[in-house]
């Protein structure tokens, strides 16, 4: 685990402003990982670890429900340990990891092994299992056994569940077990060969495009299938106006659909491809200003439930390849909050309480994760941060093992100061 990490029987968080409370700064006393007292704490053990927040914010610990940890298979890009370190530096106390590893997380044993490897870290890792055996999109994986082993949802992310009958059965299972099916929404034949958003910019640059209807046609199918099955659908990394509209209508009908948006789809457009840099190559692709505006409105009006990074580490060799051959994906755990402050808070799309809800309570609810609450008697699970410090993205400082960020050199705002989970504490420099 990263430096700046420590474990203590007793911890005193001093002078923190709890997001959403009308009160000024308070102290929070933690004993054996449990919140003992909130207020002006004067009476505490002498042998205690003190974190003085000097008036910075404290909120329930954030959860990133869409990360790729690359273990097993590509430990050169990320491991459960390095990815969890990156999560902690980004302010997250929990992550859900996607199963497109090598081999994929498609069995009880694989789920158990991820959980075992994550033990002892501050960040709680919740594995997502595959929908299909070997992630081949043909036969349903052992969903029941994986739920029993601790899988919190199911996805073939990176690829869609393109077989309609398989998706239908998966949704039947999601109803039975009360877990979401998370379908990477992409009609392959429409997206095939594409590298960036299909539109005026791709036409001008002569780069093959991925049309937004490759996303919304798949989501339309999935929504029809939850109507038939009463299953639970979670739409990951929503990127376009049309998809948003489909989710909005499905929610109005009372269907069990939730969705997430990434910080990059809220902040970057396809015009970045003018730099011919694979750091901007992500799937679904960066779209247009109009899409960004719609997605921001969708977050504000509750159509979009939460924010998730889709942290997708890739090696420098792969990323420096020709644009057409470079893999899709970018790292996002350590820039997520700074991007949100600049693009959602400073622009007044969300207020601070709403932003924190989208990073903490809402994502936890989608996967039935235990809630993080700042209340006496609850397990300590908190994030400390400010919303004013400006900082320049320098990927050489990332705790992630990978550096493929589109925000390199950019000034972001809002510093994560630390996290606590039980008796484990991480404090940023
Ligand atoms: O850009 C992406 N990268 N989108 C995905 O859905 C998968 C991910 C990856 O695994 O690299």
């Amino acid at each position: 685990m990263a430096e700046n990490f420590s474990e203590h029987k007793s911890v005193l968080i001093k002078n923190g402003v709890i997001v959403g409370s009308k009160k000024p700064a308070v102290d929070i006393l933690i004993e054996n990982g449990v919140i003992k007292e909130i207020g002006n704490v004067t009476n505490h053990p002498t042998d205690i670890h003190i974190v003085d927040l000097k008036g910075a914010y404290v909120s329930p610990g954030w959860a990133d429900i869409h990360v790729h940890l690359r273990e097993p298979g590509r430990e050169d890009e990320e491991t459960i340990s390095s990815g969890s370190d990156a999560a902690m530096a980004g302010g997250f106390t929990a992550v859900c990891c996607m199963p497109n590893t090598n081999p994929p997380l498609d069995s009880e044993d694989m789920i158990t092994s991820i959980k075992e490897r994550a033990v002892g870290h501050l960040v709680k890792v919740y594995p997502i299992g595959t929908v299909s055996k070997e992630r081949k999109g043909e036969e349903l994986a052992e969903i029941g056994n994986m739920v029993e082993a601790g899988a919190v949802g199911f996805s073939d992310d990176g690829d869609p569940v393109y077989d309609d009958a398989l998706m239908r059965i998966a949704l039947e299972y999601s109803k039975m077990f009360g877990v979401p099916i998370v379908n990477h929404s992409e009609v392959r034949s429409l997206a095939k060969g594409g590298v960036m958003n299909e539109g005026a910019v791709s036409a001008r640059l002569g780069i093959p495009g991925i049309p937004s209807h490759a996303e919304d046609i798949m989501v339309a199918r999935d929504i029809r299938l939850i109507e038939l099955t009463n299953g639970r659908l979670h739409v990951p990394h929503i990127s376009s106006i049309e998809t948003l509209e489909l989710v909005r209508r499905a929610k109005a009908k009372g269907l069990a659909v939730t969705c997430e948006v990434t910080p990059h789809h809220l902040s970057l457009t396809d015009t970045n491809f003018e730099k011919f840099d694979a750091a901007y190559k992500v799937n679904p692709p960066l779209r247009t200003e109009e899409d960004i505006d719609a997605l921001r409105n969708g977050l504000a009006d509750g159509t979009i439930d939460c924010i998730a990074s889709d942290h997708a580490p890739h090696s420098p060799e792969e990323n420096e390849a020709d644009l057409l051959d470079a893999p899709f994906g970018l790292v996002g755990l350590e820039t997520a909050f700074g991007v949100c402050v600049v693009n959602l808070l400073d622009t007044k799309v969300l207020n601070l309480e709403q932003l924190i809800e989208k990073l903490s309570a809402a994502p936890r609810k989608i996967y039935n994760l235990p809630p993080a609450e700042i209340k006496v008697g609850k397990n300590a699970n908190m994030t400390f941060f400010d919303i004013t410090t400006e900082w320049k993205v320098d990927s050489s400082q990332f705790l992630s093992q990978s550096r493929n960020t589109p925000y390199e050199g950019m000034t972001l705002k809002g510093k994560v100061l630390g996290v606590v989970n039980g008796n484990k504490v991480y404090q940023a420099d």
Side-chain angles (χ1 to χ4, degrees):
M1 196 153 2
E3 296 167 33
N4 303 356
F5 163 82
S6 52
E7 288 187 74
H8 309 274
K9 194 166 174 297
S10 308
V11 180
L12 182 62
I13 312 298
K14 282 186 75 71
N15 305 312
V17 175
I18 299 176
V19 173
S21 91
K22 304 272 177 287
K23 296 196 186 117
V26 292
D27 307 329
I28 302 169
L29 177 64
I30 301 163
E31 296 237 12
N32 297 317
V34 175
I35 299 178
K36 243 330 209 310
E37 192 183 336
I38 303 174
N40 182 17
V41 178
T42 48
N43 201 1
H44 59 76
T46 44
D47 181 19
I48 193 163
H49 181 73
I50 295 180
V51 180
D52 191 348
L53 293 180
K54 301 180 182 140
Y57 286 110
V58 187
S59 78
W62 308 338
D64 189 341
I65 59 170
H66 193 145
V67 306
H68 297 268
L69 295 181
R70 303 294 189 226
E71 184 179 347
R74 286 307 301 263
E75 288 84 349
D76 58 314
E77 296 181 330
E78 200 77 285
T79 61
I80 292 167
S81 175
S82 68
S84 301
D85 281 354
M88 170 166 96
F92 299 96
T93 57
V95 295
C96 296
C97 63
M98 282 295 171
N100 61 337
T101 48
N102 189 11
L105 312 184
D106 69 347
S107 67
E108 190 180 340
D109 285 353
M110 291 301 292
I111 298 293
T112 304
S113 110
I114 298 297
K115 290 192 66 151
E116 281 172 1
R117 292 181 213 197
V119 165
H121 204 286
L122 182 150
V123 171
K124 181 98 174 132
V125 176
Y126 296 95
I128 294 169
T130 60
V131 169
S132 64
K133 281 189 184 156
E134 296 177 54
R135 226 179 123 260
K136 283 187 171 163
E138 290 162 6
E139 244 184 291
L140 195 70
E142 302 281 348
I143 287 189
N145 292 344
M146 284 195 272
V147 168
E148 215 144 278
V152 292
F154 295 90
S155 179
D156 280 355
D157 189 54
D159 286 309
V161 179
Y162 55 88
D163 184 300
D164 309 330
L166 186 68
M167 187 62 182
R168 178 181 161 197
I169 301 172
L171 286 167
E172 297 279 8
Y173 274 73
S174 81
K175 180 176 65 177
M176 203 146 56
F177 292 104
V179 292
I181 301 296
V182 186
N183 193 19
H184 177 104
S185 314
E186 183 180 40
V187 176
R188 277 182 174 171
S189 55
L190 292 169
K192 205 169 160 197
V195 169
M196 64 176 292
N197 180 47
E198 181 181 286
V201 183
S202 67
R204 177 158 49 83
L205 298 177
I207 297 177
I210 302 174
S212 59
H213 55 262
E215 180 179 86
D216 65 68
I217 290 175
M218 183 61 92
V219 173
R221 179 206 72 172
D222 290 346
I223 287 173
R224 179 73 185 111
L225 285 173
I226 51 168
E227 205 167 28
L228 290 169
T229 57
N230 279 321
R232 265 180 69 183
L233 175 71
H234 178 66
V235 182
H237 40 52
I238 184 169
S239 74
S240 78
I241 297 179
E242 296 83 3
T243 309
L244 184 71
E245 203 39 53
L246 287 171
V247 173
R248 187 174 277 136
R249 272 189 262 147
K251 283 193 166 187
K253 274 186 169 175
L255 298 177
V257 57
T258 51
C259 68
E260 73 195 25
V261 65
T262 69
H264 47 275
H265 289 112
L266 290 164
S267 60
L268 301 171
T269 66
D270 56 358
T271 55
N272 282 291
F273 260 83
E274 286 159 2
K275 296 171 211 155
F276 290 92
D277 183 347
Y280 299 97
K281 184 175 172 184
V282 65
N283 193 359
L286 304 173
R287 306 246 186 229
T288 66
E289 286 293 350
E290 290 73 39
D291 292 295
I292 288 185
D293 282 348
L295 294 173
R296 290 179 180 181
N297 289 335
L299 253 186
D301 72 18
T303 306
I304 300 178
D305 297 82
C306 74
I307 298 162
S309 75
D310 192 5
H311 177 81
H314 288 295
S315 70
E317 301 76 48
E318 284 176 327
N319 248 49
E320 280 154 19
D322 183 77
L323 205 50
L324 297 183
D325 299 326
F328 290 99
L330 49 92
V331 288
L333 279 164
E334 290 167 85
T335 49
F337 184 63
V339 174
C340 288
V341 170
V342 173
N343 291 279
L344 299 174
L345 212 53
D346 284 1
T347 52
K348 301 199 172 4
V349 172
L350 300 180
N351 63 32
L352 184 59
E353 239 174 288
Q354 291 168 324
L355 173 60
I356 297 306
E357 200 258 338
K358 303 281 185 195
L359 289 168
S360 180
R364 285 172 193 275
K365 214 159 129 196
I366 291 167
Y367 284 100
N368 310 313
L369 310 186
E373 291 172 288
I374 307 181
K375 282 192 188 145
V376 171
K378 298 285 180 189
N379 282 329
N381 186 337
M382 293 174 249
T383 302
F384 318 131
F385 61 97
D386 72 36
I387 55 171
T388 48
T389 303
E390 295 197 340
W391 56 283
K392 217 178 205 175
V393 179
D394 173 3
S395 64
S396 70
Q397 301 298 309
F398 284 172
L399 298 193
S400 167
Q401 231 159 260
S402 286
R403 306 274 173 262
N404 51 310
T405 174
Y407 298 106
E408 187 72 49
M410 218 180 259
T411 299
L412 300 179
K413 203 169 155 191
K415 187 165 161 57
V416 172
L417 302 171
V419 284
V420 57
N421 203 350
N423 58 1
K424 299 184 174 67
V425 181
Y426 165 78
Q427 288 169 268
D429 288 328

